Amino acid sequence: MARSNDEVAALLQEYADLISITGGDAFRARVYEKAARAVGGHHADVATLGLKGLQEIPNVGKSIAQKVREYVDSGTVSAVEELRARIPDGVRRLTAIPTLGPKKALAVYEELGVSSVEELADAIHQERLRDLKGFGPRTEENILHGIELLRASGGRVRIDVATELAESIVAVLSAVDGCEKCAYAGSLRRCRETIGDIDILVAAEESAPVMRAFTALPYVTEIIGQGATKTSVRTAKGLDVDLRVVPPDSWGAALQYFTGSKAHNIRTRERAVHQGLKLSEYGLFDVETGEKIVSETEEEVYGRLGLPWIPPPLREDRGEIEAGLRGELPDLVTEADLRGDLHTHTDLTDGLAPLEEMAAAAARCGYAYYAITDHAPDLTMQRMTDERMLAQRERVRELDGTFPTKGRRGGLRLLHGTELNIGPEGGVDWPEDFLAGFDLCVASVHSHFNQSRDALTRRLVRACENPHVHIIGHPTTRLIGKRPGIDADLDAVFAACARTGTALEINAHPHRLDLRDEDILRARRYGVKFAVNSDAHAVPQLDVMRYGIGTAQRGWLTGDDVINTWPERRLRSFLRGRG
């Protein structure tokens, strides 16, 4: 389940939004926004901290600490409840639209009486918003984008939310007497970026004990359906969970069947039919005799169909069957292959932990090398200066090799880098002579998302052509469920990356997962190299790499495709080749 920190962070962010909606002090709202980020990124569980310990978290003062303790102790915060009561339900519904801020939501409610997403869409099509101050055609276009995002989500949640819940359920059910095997399946096992519901599979001779334990889970809010082999529940996370119990000797067939995808399963069943067989969740059977041939492991099922075992992230009917028949399935990159993280932040800019804490945590990950890439000065809110960056560089050099790391004699090698801002014309922060002093430069788009397609494409291509830019960070800038990717000609960008030797980032943060797996597949055909990075702004966020690796696997990437799986010498050679 989610840490208390995540729940408290969500509550503090909601409070900041409520302050904005009710016309409260903007500075106070920002204070709560900063506190939400700090709590979400704090390494210790806030439920275990007293007022003094809470006030040691950056941006958490006495008043906020008291609210956190009130929530931990009682499950509610009176100040939040009071503001919630002042906000009409219609406004609360409108704020679910990703691109509609709280003040604009209040404006359309008060001025036009609009109180639902559908009414707002109708008002935009009737051009009724244009008479309101601060609204215009561009605003309408952005709101419609947000409505599309909201509708497209269809109740789906991010992969990290689903993973936390699924792993919690698996841990509980695995401990039930008689449970021989337990795993999650479905789109979560295939590492899809968002999840509609969770499929849990158990192998057991008797299903009743497992079903009882499942329905008794504290986060189950409703039993949708219950039977001897399948039970469906709704949880406090808003996710439905299906539990299926199968005989132990059907485990492999059931895991293959319930992992999917539907299109992949159609192909495997077709192969079975052509061989006079029938494939179901209970096994692979001879059609004429009804004899069960294989079923205990996925490897046996695929093997009897004339295929190698196909990793779940590939099971989307995107050529994996044909590649398997040719013996050409990729040796997919794994989290264990990673030797370092090349995009992270400290409290010098918008991170939450100092350099020393981030580096020590990276060493605990077992990395061989680790890059610090704080923001450059064009993001003025970060107040970066030449002097501050050079002072950090000196400290990085002092700490280089001083953090012991698993399996490495010399300690963690630290790279001093920066995340540059790709400006509207494609330029980046700092002149060439200053950029030449960095070990690594990540360049990312952080603003002007609504430029024309041609302008955005030129902007990214020009950044690729800068000899000091090694990696294009979060290339499409998307935020899952909140902001769509920019409208650029990605094929032109991929071609530029291949031509200039610039790597593309797969940003592992579950809010981003940018590039998407579909984009990775296309970029790979150009010969582009990639970097799977955490973009961590706090110590706990270093752990998100698993989601970036899952996305990389869905893009058919091998270790050779990912530059931060390479030995340090090869990586440094790559970096020098760009400078």
PDB file of all heavy atoms in Angstrom, residues 325-357:
ATOM      1  N   LEU A 325       9.609 -17.132 -33.233  1.00  0.00           N
ATOM      2  CA  LEU A 325       9.753 -18.226 -34.201  1.00  0.00           C
ATOM      3  C   LEU A 325      11.097 -18.143 -34.931  1.00  0.00           C
ATOM      4  O   LEU A 325      11.679 -19.166 -35.294  1.00  0.00           O
ATOM      5  CB  LEU A 325       8.603 -18.184 -35.204  1.00  0.00           C
ATOM      6  CG  LEU A 325       7.212 -18.549 -34.636  1.00  0.00           C
ATOM      7  CD1 LEU A 325       6.134 -18.257 -35.659  1.00  0.00           C
ATOM      8  CD2 LEU A 325       7.189 -20.009 -34.204  1.00  0.00           C
ATOM      9  N   ARG A 326      11.603 -16.920 -35.129  1.00  0.00           N
ATOM     10  CA  ARG A 326      12.901 -16.746 -35.802  1.00  0.00           C
ATOM     11  C   ARG A 326      14.075 -16.830 -34.837  1.00  0.00           C
ATOM     12  O   ARG A 326      15.225 -16.740 -35.250  1.00  0.00           O
ATOM     13  CB  ARG A 326      12.944 -15.375 -36.509  1.00  0.00           C
ATOM     14  CG  ARG A 326      11.948 -15.209 -37.645  1.00  0.00           C
ATOM     15  CD  ARG A 326      12.279 -13.964 -38.457  1.00  0.00           C
ATOM     16  NE  ARG A 326      12.331 -12.761 -37.640  1.00  0.00           N
ATOM     17  CZ  ARG A 326      11.308 -11.934 -37.437  1.00  0.00           C
ATOM     18  NH1 ARG A 326      10.130 -12.194 -38.000  1.00  0.00           N
ATOM     19  NH2 ARG A 326      11.442 -10.851 -36.686  1.00  0.00           N
ATOM     20  N   GLY A 327      13.782 -16.962 -33.548  1.00  0.00           N
ATOM     21  CA  GLY A 327      14.853 -16.960 -32.554  1.00  0.00           C
ATOM     22  C   GLY A 327      15.472 -15.592 -32.374  1.00  0.00           C
ATOM     23  O   GLY A 327      16.655 -15.472 -32.052  1.00  0.00           O
ATOM     24  N   GLU A 328      14.677 -14.527 -32.560  1.00  0.00           N
ATOM     25  CA  GLU A 328      15.216 -13.168 -32.540  1.00  0.00           C
ATOM     26  C   GLU A 328      14.606 -12.289 -31.451  1.00  0.00           C
ATOM     27  O   GLU A 328      14.631 -11.068 -31.541  1.00  0.00           O
ATOM     28  CB  GLU A 328      14.991 -12.506 -33.902  1.00  0.00           C
ATOM     29  CG  GLU A 328      15.751 -13.183 -35.039  1.00  0.00           C
ATOM     30  CD  GLU A 328      15.451 -12.565 -36.401  1.00  0.00           C
ATOM     31  OE1 GLU A 328      14.610 -11.628 -36.441  1.00  0.00           O
ATOM     32  OE2 GLU A 328      16.044 -13.015 -37.397  1.00  0.00           O
ATOM     33  N   LEU A 329      14.063 -12.889 -30.392  1.00  0.00           N
ATOM     34  CA  LEU A 329      13.565 -12.072 -29.293  1.00  0.00           C
ATOM     35  C   LEU A 329      14.744 -11.356 -28.633  1.00  0.00           C
ATOM     36  O   LEU A 329      15.809 -11.937 -28.445  1.00  0.00           O
ATOM     37  CB  LEU A 329      12.849 -12.945 -28.259  1.00  0.00           C
ATOM     38  CG  LEU A 329      11.454 -13.445 -28.628  1.00  0.00           C
ATOM     39  CD1 LEU A 329      10.950 -14.404 -27.570  1.00  0.00           C
ATOM     40  CD2 LEU A 329      10.482 -12.279 -28.792  1.00  0.00           C
ATOM     41  N   PRO A 330      14.571 -10.093 -28.262  1.00  0.00           N
ATOM     42  CA  PRO A 330      15.692  -9.361 -27.653  1.00  0.00           C
ATOM     43  C   PRO A 330      15.985  -9.863 -26.244  1.00  0.00           C
ATOM     44  O   PRO A 330      15.092 -10.334 -25.531  1.00  0.00           O
ATOM     45  CB  PRO A 330      15.174  -7.915 -27.618  1.00  0.00           C
ATOM     46  CG  PRO A 330      13.686  -8.048 -27.573  1.00  0.00           C
ATOM     47  CD  PRO A 330      13.356  -9.259 -28.408  1.00  0.00           C
ATOM     48  N   ASP A 331      17.251  -9.758 -25.865  1.00  0.00           N
ATOM     49  CA  ASP A 331      17.658 -10.022 -24.488  1.00  0.00           C
ATOM     50  C   ASP A 331      17.395  -8.737 -23.714  1.00  0.00           C
ATOM     51  O   ASP A 331      18.248  -7.852 -23.645  1.00  0.00           O
ATOM     52  CB  ASP A 331      19.136 -10.407 -24.442  1.00  0.00           C
ATOM     53  CG  ASP A 331      19.608 -10.760 -23.048  1.00  0.00           C
ATOM     54  OD1 ASP A 331      18.753 -10.919 -22.155  1.00  0.00           O
ATOM     55  OD2 ASP A 331      20.831 -10.852 -22.846  1.00  0.00           O
ATOM     56  N   LEU A 332      16.206  -8.618 -23.143  1.00  0.00           N
ATOM     57  CA  LEU A 332      15.734  -7.341 -22.625  1.00  0.00           C
ATOM     58  C   LEU A 332      16.609  -6.812 -21.489  1.00  0.00           C
ATOM     59  O   LEU A 332      17.095  -7.570 -20.637  1.00  0.00           O
ATOM     60  CB  LEU A 332      14.290  -7.471 -22.130  1.00  0.00           C
ATOM     61  CG  LEU A 332      13.234  -7.752 -23.193  1.00  0.00           C
ATOM     62  CD1 LEU A 332      11.857  -7.876 -22.540  1.00  0.00           C
ATOM     63  CD2 LEU A 332      13.206  -6.662 -24.260  1.00  0.00           C
ATOM     64  N   VAL A 333      16.760  -5.483 -21.472  1.00  0.00           N
ATOM     65  CA  VAL A 333      17.452  -4.827 -20.386  1.00  0.00           C
ATOM     66  C   VAL A 333      16.686  -5.076 -19.085  1.00  0.00           C
ATOM     67  O   VAL A 333      15.456  -5.176 -19.076  1.00  0.00           O
ATOM     68  CB  VAL A 333      17.568  -3.311 -20.662  1.00  0.00           C
ATOM     69  CG1 VAL A 333      16.198  -2.632 -20.739  1.00  0.00           C
ATOM     70  CG2 VAL A 333      18.449  -2.626 -19.625  1.00  0.00           C
ATOM     71  N   THR A 334      17.405  -5.209 -17.977  1.00  0.00           N
ATOM     72  CA  THR A 334      16.787  -5.406 -16.667  1.00  0.00           C
ATOM     73  C   THR A 334      17.296  -4.351 -15.693  1.00  0.00           C
ATOM     74  O   THR A 334      18.306  -3.675 -15.940  1.00  0.00           O
ATOM     75  CB  THR A 334      17.101  -6.796 -16.094  1.00  0.00           C
ATOM     76  OG1 THR A 334      18.502  -6.851 -15.758  1.00  0.00           O
ATOM     77  CG2 THR A 334      16.768  -7.896 -17.093  1.00  0.00           C
ATOM     78  N   GLU A 335      16.605  -4.228 -14.576  1.00  0.00           N
ATOM     79  CA  GLU A 335      17.039  -3.268 -13.564  1.00  0.00           C
ATOM     80  C   GLU A 335      18.431  -3.623 -13.045  1.00  0.00           C
ATOM     81  O   GLU A 335      19.231  -2.738 -12.707  1.00  0.00           O
ATOM     82  CB  GLU A 335      16.024  -3.226 -12.418  1.00  0.00           C
ATOM     83  CG  GLU A 335      16.194  -2.047 -11.505  1.00  0.00           C
ATOM     84  CD  GLU A 335      15.086  -1.920 -10.476  1.00  0.00           C
ATOM     85  OE1 GLU A 335      14.157  -2.746 -10.476  1.00  0.00           O
ATOM     86  OE2 GLU A 335      15.154  -0.975  -9.661  1.00  0.00           O
ATOM     87  N   ALA A 336      18.730  -4.923 -12.992  1.00  0.00           N
ATOM     88  CA  ALA A 336      20.049  -5.352 -12.523  1.00  0.00           C
ATOM     89  C   ALA A 336      21.165  -4.913 -13.460  1.00  0.00           C
ATOM     90  O   ALA A 336      22.330  -4.839 -13.049  1.00  0.00           O
ATOM     91  CB  ALA A 336      20.072  -6.877 -12.358  1.00  0.00           C
ATOM     92  N   ASP A 337      20.839  -4.612 -14.715  1.00  0.00           N
ATOM     93  CA  ASP A 337      21.856  -4.178 -15.683  1.00  0.00           C
ATOM     94  C   ASP A 337      22.320  -2.746 -15.439  1.00  0.00           C
ATOM     95  O   ASP A 337      23.390  -2.345 -15.918  1.00  0.00           O
ATOM     96  CB  ASP A 337      21.314  -4.268 -17.112  1.00  0.00           C
ATOM     97  CG  ASP A 337      21.040  -5.698 -17.551  1.00  0.00           C
ATOM     98  OD1 ASP A 337      21.742  -6.608 -17.073  1.00  0.00           O
ATOM     99  OD2 ASP A 337      20.112  -5.896 -18.368  1.00  0.00           O
ATOM    100  N   LEU A 338      21.516  -1.954 -14.732  1.00  0.00           N
ATOM    101  CA  LEU A 338      21.828  -0.531 -14.574  1.00  0.00           C
ATOM    102  C   LEU A 338      23.090  -0.352 -13.736  1.00  0.00           C
ATOM    103  O   LEU A 338      23.227  -0.927 -12.656  1.00  0.00           O
ATOM    104  CB  LEU A 338      20.663   0.197 -13.909  1.00  0.00           C
ATOM    105  CG  LEU A 338      19.399   0.355 -14.750  1.00  0.00           C
ATOM    106  CD1 LEU A 338      18.272   0.942 -13.909  1.00  0.00           C
ATOM    107  CD2 LEU A 338      19.657   1.226 -15.970  1.00  0.00           C
ATOM    108  N   ARG A 339      23.990   0.490 -14.221  1.00  0.00           N
ATOM    109  CA  ARG A 339      25.218   0.802 -13.489  1.00  0.00           C
ATOM    110  C   ARG A 339      25.188   2.218 -12.911  1.00  0.00           C
ATOM    111  O   ARG A 339      26.117   2.609 -12.201  1.00  0.00           O
ATOM    112  CB  ARG A 339      26.436   0.662 -14.400  1.00  0.00           C
ATOM    113  CG  ARG A 339      26.661  -0.759 -14.904  1.00  0.00           C
ATOM    114  CD  ARG A 339      27.795  -0.795 -15.915  1.00  0.00           C
ATOM    115  NE  ARG A 339      27.906  -2.098 -16.546  1.00  0.00           N
ATOM    116  CZ  ARG A 339      28.930  -2.942 -16.356  1.00  0.00           C
ATOM    117  NH1 ARG A 339      29.903  -2.623 -15.523  1.00  0.00           N
ATOM    118  NH2 ARG A 339      28.974  -4.100 -16.983  1.00  0.00           N
ATOM    119  N   GLY A 340      24.153   2.981 -13.258  1.00  0.00           N
ATOM    120  CA  GLY A 340      24.104   4.333 -12.732  1.00  0.00           C
ATOM    121  C   GLY A 340      22.835   5.054 -13.122  1.00  0.00           C
ATOM    122  O   GLY A 340      22.003   4.544 -13.874  1.00  0.00           O
ATOM    123  N   ASP A 341      22.696   6.246 -12.574  1.00  0.00           N
ATOM    124  CA  ASP A 341      21.549   7.122 -12.821  1.00  0.00           C
ATOM    125  C   ASP A 341      22.129   8.445 -13.318  1.00  0.00           C
ATOM    126  O   ASP A 341      23.003   9.026 -12.671  1.00  0.00           O
ATOM    127  CB  ASP A 341      20.776   7.308 -11.518  1.00  0.00           C
ATOM    128  CG  ASP A 341      19.417   7.960 -11.700  1.00  0.00           C
ATOM    129  OD1 ASP A 341      19.183   8.577 -12.754  1.00  0.00           O
ATOM    130  OD2 ASP A 341      18.585   7.853 -10.780  1.00  0.00           O
ATOM    131  N   LEU A 342      21.638   8.944 -14.449  1.00  0.00           N
ATOM    132  CA  LEU A 342      22.259  10.095 -15.098  1.00  0.00           C
ATOM    133  C   LEU A 342      21.401  11.362 -15.086  1.00  0.00           C
ATOM    134  O   LEU A 342      21.696  12.315 -15.804  1.00  0.00           O
ATOM    135  CB  LEU A 342      22.622   9.725 -16.542  1.00  0.00           C
ATOM    136  CG  LEU A 342      23.570   8.530 -16.702  1.00  0.00           C
ATOM    137  CD1 LEU A 342      23.834   8.251 -18.184  1.00  0.00           C
ATOM    138  CD2 LEU A 342      24.882   8.761 -15.956  1.00  0.00           C
ATOM    139  N   HIS A 343      20.357  11.393 -14.256  1.00  0.00           N
ATOM    140  CA  HIS A 343      19.515  12.598 -14.182  1.00  0.00           C
ATOM    141  C   HIS A 343      18.885  12.643 -12.789  1.00  0.00           C
ATOM    142  O   HIS A 343      17.907  11.958 -12.514  1.00  0.00           O
ATOM    143  CB  HIS A 343      18.432  12.552 -15.273  1.00  0.00           C
ATOM    144  CG  HIS A 343      17.526  13.750 -15.288  1.00  0.00           C
ATOM    145  ND1 HIS A 343      16.493  13.890 -16.190  1.00  0.00           N
ATOM    146  CD2 HIS A 343      17.475  14.863 -14.509  1.00  0.00           C
ATOM    147  CE1 HIS A 343      15.860  15.022 -15.977  1.00  0.00           C
ATOM    148  NE2 HIS A 343      16.435  15.631 -14.953  1.00  0.00           N
ATOM    149  N   THR A 344      19.464  13.460 -11.902  1.00  0.00           N
ATOM    150  CA  THR A 344      18.947  13.598 -10.537  1.00  0.00           C
ATOM    151  C   THR A 344      19.172  15.028 -10.050  1.00  0.00           C
ATOM    152  O   THR A 344      19.967  15.777 -10.614  1.00  0.00           O
ATOM    153  CB  THR A 344      19.654  12.624  -9.560  1.00  0.00           C
ATOM    154  OG1 THR A 344      21.027  13.017  -9.422  1.00  0.00           O
ATOM    155  CG2 THR A 344      19.565  11.183 -10.046  1.00  0.00           C
ATOM    156  N   HIS A 345      18.470  15.375  -8.969  1.00  0.00           N
ATOM    157  CA  HIS A 345      18.521  16.745  -8.452  1.00  0.00           C
ATOM    158  C   HIS A 345      18.781  16.757  -6.948  1.00  0.00           C
ATOM    159  O   HIS A 345      18.477  15.794  -6.244  1.00  0.00           O
ATOM    160  CB  HIS A 345      17.203  17.465  -8.752  1.00  0.00           C
ATOM    161  CG  HIS A 345      16.923  17.602 -10.217  1.00  0.00           C
ATOM    162  ND1 HIS A 345      17.343  18.681 -10.954  1.00  0.00           N
ATOM    163  CD2 HIS A 345      16.279  16.779 -11.093  1.00  0.00           C
ATOM    164  CE1 HIS A 345      16.968  18.531 -12.219  1.00  0.00           C
ATOM    165  NE2 HIS A 345      16.324  17.375 -12.326  1.00  0.00           N
ATOM    166  N   THR A 346      19.326  17.864  -6.487  1.00  0.00           N
ATOM    167  CA  THR A 346      19.572  18.059  -5.057  1.00  0.00           C
ATOM    168  C   THR A 346      18.862  19.328  -4.596  1.00  0.00           C
ATOM    169  O   THR A 346      18.213  20.024  -5.384  1.00  0.00           O
ATOM    170  CB  THR A 346      21.079  18.204  -4.764  1.00  0.00           C
ATOM    171  OG1 THR A 346      21.519  19.515  -5.185  1.00  0.00           O
ATOM    172  CG2 THR A 346      21.894  17.142  -5.499  1.00  0.00           C
ATOM    173  N   ASP A 347      19.041  19.639  -3.304  1.00  0.00           N
ATOM    174  CA  ASP A 347      18.392  20.842  -2.780  1.00  0.00           C
ATOM    175  C   ASP A 347      19.086  22.127  -3.205  1.00  0.00           C
ATOM    176  O   ASP A 347      18.694  23.219  -2.786  1.00  0.00           O
ATOM    177  CB  ASP A 347      18.286  20.772  -1.255  1.00  0.00           C
ATOM    178  CG  ASP A 347      19.640  20.681  -0.562  1.00  0.00           C
ATOM    179  OD1 ASP A 347      20.675  20.634  -1.264  1.00  0.00           O
ATOM    180  OD2 ASP A 347      19.660  20.667   0.683  1.00  0.00           O
ATOM    181  N   LEU A 348      20.100  22.015  -4.062  1.00  0.00           N
ATOM    182  CA  LEU A 348      20.670  23.233  -4.640  1.00  0.00           C
ATOM    183  C   LEU A 348      19.647  23.926  -5.531  1.00  0.00           C
ATOM    184  O   LEU A 348      19.657  25.158  -5.657  1.00  0.00           O
ATOM    185  CB  LEU A 348      21.932  22.905  -5.447  1.00  0.00           C
ATOM    186  CG  LEU A 348      22.661  24.101  -6.057  1.00  0.00           C
ATOM    187  CD1 LEU A 348      23.197  25.033  -4.956  1.00  0.00           C
ATOM    188  CD2 LEU A 348      23.796  23.662  -6.958  1.00  0.00           C
ATOM    189  N   THR A 349      18.760  23.136  -6.160  1.00  0.00           N
ATOM    190  CA  THR A 349      17.660  23.727  -6.929  1.00  0.00           C
ATOM    191  C   THR A 349      16.341  23.207  -6.351  1.00  0.00           C
ATOM    192  O   THR A 349      15.992  23.542  -5.229  1.00  0.00           O
ATOM    193  CB  THR A 349      17.800  23.450  -8.441  1.00  0.00           C
ATOM    194  OG1 THR A 349      17.961  22.045  -8.669  1.00  0.00           O
ATOM    195  CG2 THR A 349      18.997  24.190  -9.011  1.00  0.00           C
ATOM    196  N   ASP A 350      15.617  22.373  -7.073  1.00  0.00           N
ATOM    197  CA  ASP A 350      14.290  21.990  -6.597  1.00  0.00           C
ATOM    198  C   ASP A 350      14.236  20.595  -5.990  1.00  0.00           C
ATOM    199  O   ASP A 350      13.161  20.043  -5.780  1.00  0.00           O
ATOM    200  CB  ASP A 350      13.260  22.097  -7.719  1.00  0.00           C
ATOM    201  CG  ASP A 350      13.591  21.223  -8.918  1.00  0.00           C
ATOM    202  OD1 ASP A 350      14.734  20.730  -9.007  1.00  0.00           O
ATOM    203  OD2 ASP A 350      12.705  21.039  -9.785  1.00  0.00           O
ATOM    204  N   GLY A 351      15.394  19.996  -5.691  1.00  0.00           N
ATOM    205  CA  GLY A 351      15.404  18.734  -4.984  1.00  0.00           C
ATOM    206  C   GLY A 351      15.173  18.936  -3.496  1.00  0.00           C
ATOM    207  O   GLY A 351      15.156  20.062  -2.988  1.00  0.00           O
ATOM    208  N   LEU A 352      14.998  17.830  -2.773  1.00  0.00           N
ATOM    209  CA  LEU A 352      14.667  17.916  -1.351  1.00  0.00           C
ATOM    210  C   LEU A 352      15.797  17.466  -0.439  1.00  0.00           C
ATOM    211  O   LEU A 352      15.716  17.652   0.766  1.00  0.00           O
ATOM    212  CB  LEU A 352      13.421  17.057  -1.066  1.00  0.00           C
ATOM    213  CG  LEU A 352      12.155  17.461  -1.819  1.00  0.00           C
ATOM    214  CD1 LEU A 352      11.045  16.465  -1.557  1.00  0.00           C
ATOM    215  CD2 LEU A 352      11.717  18.859  -1.408  1.00  0.00           C
ATOM    216  N   ALA A 353      16.834  16.857  -0.995  1.00  0.00           N
ATOM    217  CA  ALA A 353      17.920  16.327  -0.178  1.00  0.00           C
ATOM    218  C   ALA A 353      19.249  16.904  -0.650  1.00  0.00           C
ATOM    219  O   ALA A 353      19.427  17.192  -1.834  1.00  0.00           O
ATOM    220  CB  ALA A 353      17.949  14.797  -0.250  1.00  0.00           C
ATOM    221  N   PRO A 354      20.210  17.063   0.260  1.00  0.00           N
ATOM    222  CA  PRO A 354      21.527  17.572  -0.145  1.00  0.00           C
ATOM    223  C   PRO A 354      22.296  16.553  -0.966  1.00  0.00           C
ATOM    224  O   PRO A 354      21.969  15.355  -0.987  1.00  0.00           O
ATOM    225  CB  PRO A 354      22.222  17.853   1.187  1.00  0.00           C
ATOM    226  CG  PRO A 354      21.511  17.021   2.195  1.00  0.00           C
ATOM    227  CD  PRO A 354      20.096  16.910   1.718  1.00  0.00           C
ATOM    228  N   LEU A 355      23.311  17.029  -1.629  1.00  0.00           N
ATOM    229  CA  LEU A 355      24.154  16.201  -2.491  1.00  0.00           C
ATOM    230  C   LEU A 355      24.641  14.952  -1.771  1.00  0.00           C
ATOM    231  O   LEU A 355      24.596  13.846  -2.316  1.00  0.00           O
ATOM    232  CB  LEU A 355      25.337  17.050  -2.967  1.00  0.00           C
ATOM    233  CG  LEU A 355      26.539  16.342  -3.596  1.00  0.00           C
ATOM    234  CD1 LEU A 355      26.122  15.596  -4.848  1.00  0.00           C
ATOM    235  CD2 LEU A 355      27.637  17.352  -3.905  1.00  0.00           C
ATOM    236  N   GLU A 356      25.126  15.111  -0.551  1.00  0.00           N
ATOM    237  CA  GLU A 356      25.701  13.987   0.182  1.00  0.00           C
ATOM    238  C   GLU A 356      24.673  12.877   0.400  1.00  0.00           C
ATOM    239  O   GLU A 356      24.996  11.682   0.274  1.00  0.00           O
ATOM    240  CB  GLU A 356      26.255  14.464   1.531  1.00  0.00           C
ATOM    241  CG  GLU A 356      27.467  15.366   1.428  1.00  0.00           C
ATOM    242  CD  GLU A 356      27.125  16.817   1.094  1.00  0.00           C
ATOM    243  OE1 GLU A 356      25.916  17.135   0.941  1.00  0.00           O
ATOM    244  OE2 GLU A 356      28.054  17.636   0.978  1.00  0.00           O
ATOM    245  N   GLU A 357      23.432  13.234   0.731  1.00  0.00           N
ATOM    246  CA  GLU A 357      22.398  12.218   0.969  1.00  0.00           C
ATOM    247  C   GLU A 357      22.013  11.505  -0.321  1.00  0.00           C
ATOM    248  O   GLU A 357      21.808  10.283  -0.325  1.00  0.00           O
ATOM    249  CB  GLU A 357      21.162  12.858   1.606  1.00  0.00           C
ATOM    250  CG  GLU A 357      21.351  13.269   3.051  1.00  0.00           C
ATOM    251  CD  GLU A 357      20.065  13.784   3.661  1.00  0.00           C
ATOM    252  OE1 GLU A 357      18.972  13.520   3.095  1.00  0.00           O
ATOM    253  OE2 GLU A 357      20.140  14.471   4.710  1.00  0.00           O
TER     254      GLU A 357
END
